[in-house]
Amino acid sequence: MNIAIIGAGAMGGQTARGLLRQKTTDVKLTVSDPSEQVREQMAAIGAGVTDDNAEAARGADVVMVVVKPWLVETVLKGIASTLTADQKLIVIAAGVPSAKIKEWLTAPTTPTTPTPHAAPIPSFFLAIPNIAIAQLASMTFLVPVTATQADTACVKALFDTVGTTLLTDEAHLAAGTTLASCGIAYAMRYIRAAAEGGVELGFRADEAKRIVMQTVEGAVRLLQATGMHPEQAIDMVTTPGGVTIRGLNEMEHAGFTSAVIRGLKAGAK
């Protein structure tokens, strides 16, 4: 599968690394980025590189536009005449509505051109992965906008090689972004806080971080393996009058659950 990634910043670069690391799908990857340093980094891990977005998109089976939201319009208008109906276009940019993408794809190619871009719009998707995609552990939200069942299955299978993919609708994309894309930062903040607590309890910083990371990984694996609700697992380690329930209650007195929910809701606004 020939894949073009336009934009190799934090998210685009991590996506490129994940696609090259996975072994399920045979991928030929081309990355377009204006930065020579970024292109050198991408070439070093096995991607073809260019600074010409249209060149990258031309002939690709899948074109991923992974740029800052305010750059999406410029990039799409720049490659619109290159895209074909048999390609799959994936826009990874928070807060960019599909209606605007359709408008930009069909916009006149020059100010004096009275008619819109004549080529059919390719199958296109909105997607929000997270930076764990480089470790094949992304939680990706995928919205088919103008796509057949077959194209949707193909794109979902591609993202499944680099983590877990949830098909959703555009109305839920902001919530998915804060829960999983922003959410990975929230999880990191918990790990940092718990590690700092570990240092105060007497462990070295690197030991405390390793302990907390393994504990979080163990919690995730336990829930995945058993299907338990988190509260069931909590009940397994809380005894009457014990240290676990005292610690949990102290966190709740400080507003732990409320703070998490409020943070998620703030991120979704």
Side-chain angles (χ1 to χ4, degrees), residues 199 203-211:
V199 173
F203 292 101
R204 292 180 176 274
D206 58 341
E207 291 176 333
K209 185 181 77 169
R210 183 157 52 89
I211 291 166

Side-chain angles (χ1 to χ4, degrees), residues 219 222-223 226-238 248:
L222 178 64
L223 294 180
T226 64
M228 285 192 297
H229 188 281
E231 205 61 36
Q232 290 177 274
I234 289 171
D235 287 344
M236 292 173 64
V237 292
T238 51
L248 287 170

Side-chain angles (χ1 to χ4, degrees), residues 24 55 90 104 114 148 150 155-156 168-169 182 212 226-227 238-239 243:
T24 306
E55 179 186 335
I90 303 168
W104 297 331
T148 64
V155 171
K156 182 180 183 299
T168 187
D169 55 36
C182 302
V212 174
T226 64
T238 51
T239 55
V243 294

Side-chain angles (χ1 to χ4, degrees), residues 13-260:
Q14 295 295 83
T15 300
R17 289 178 176 86
L19 289 171
L20 290 172
R21 184 170 288 164
Q22 60 80 33
K23 302 300 180 186
T24 306
T25 301
D26 185 19
V27 166
K28 179 182 178 183
L29 184 64
T30 301
V31 173
S32 177
D33 196 275
S35 166
E36 182 178 359
Q37 181 181 9
V38 168
R39 293 197 303 273
E40 288 175 353
Q41 291 171 351
M42 292 293 102
I45 63 172
V49 296
T50 180
D51 62 357
D52 185 329
N53 294 342
E55 179 186 335
R58 191 173 292 112
D61 300 306
V62 175
V63 179
M64 296 186 182
V65 174
V66 198
V67 296
K68 298 297 184 185
W70 56 88
L71 295 175
V72 174
E73 178 179 3
T74 300
V75 170
L76 288 179
K77 286 182 176 180
I79 65 172
S81 61
T82 304
L83 298 174
T84 61
D86 58 349
Q87 290 178 304
K88 302 168 190 66
L89 172 67
I90 303 168
V91 177
I92 300 175
V96 180
S98 62
K100 281 294 184 182
I101 293 171
K102 290 180 185 177
E103 178 185 318
W104 297 331
L105 288 172
T106 57
T109 53
T110 70
T112 58
T113 304
T115 55
H117 172 52
I121 296 176
S123 288
F124 86 86
F125 302 78
L126 303 177
I128 298 292
N130 64 33
I131 58 172
I133 195 169
Q135 307 304 321
L136 313 185
S138 176
M139 179 65 242
T140 300
F141 296 87
L142 182 65
V143 179
V145 182
T146 60
T148 64
Q149 261 189 326
D151 285 347
T152 299
C154 176
V155 171
K156 182 180 183 299
L158 177 63
F159 278 109
D160 281 343
T161 68
V162 287
T164 297
T165 312
L166 178 68
L167 288 174
T168 187
D169 55 36
E170 193 166 351
H172 286 87
L173 203 55
T177 300
T178 193
L179 197 57
S181 185
C182 302
I184 201 165
Y186 306 152
M188 296 292 184
R189 183 56 60 88
Y190 167 77
I191 290 171
R192 189 193 78 172
E196 288 177 353
V199 173
E200 190 167 341
L201 291 170
F203 292 101
R204 292 180 176 274
D206 58 341
E207 291 176 333
K209 185 181 77 169
R210 183 157 52 89
I211 291 166
V212 174
M213 288 193 302
Q214 181 59 44
T215 302
V216 170
E217 181 180 355
V220 170
R221 289 192 180 187
L222 178 64
L223 294 180
Q224 287 175 331
T226 64
M228 285 192 297
H229 188 281
E231 205 61 36
Q232 290 177 274
I234 289 171
D235 287 344
M236 292 173 64
V237 292
T238 51
T239 55
V243 294
T244 304
I245 193 62
R246 289 204 297 270
L248 287 170
N249 285 342
E250 190 63 30
M251 290 179 189
E252 290 302 333
H253 289 322
F256 179 79
T257 298
S258 177
V260 171

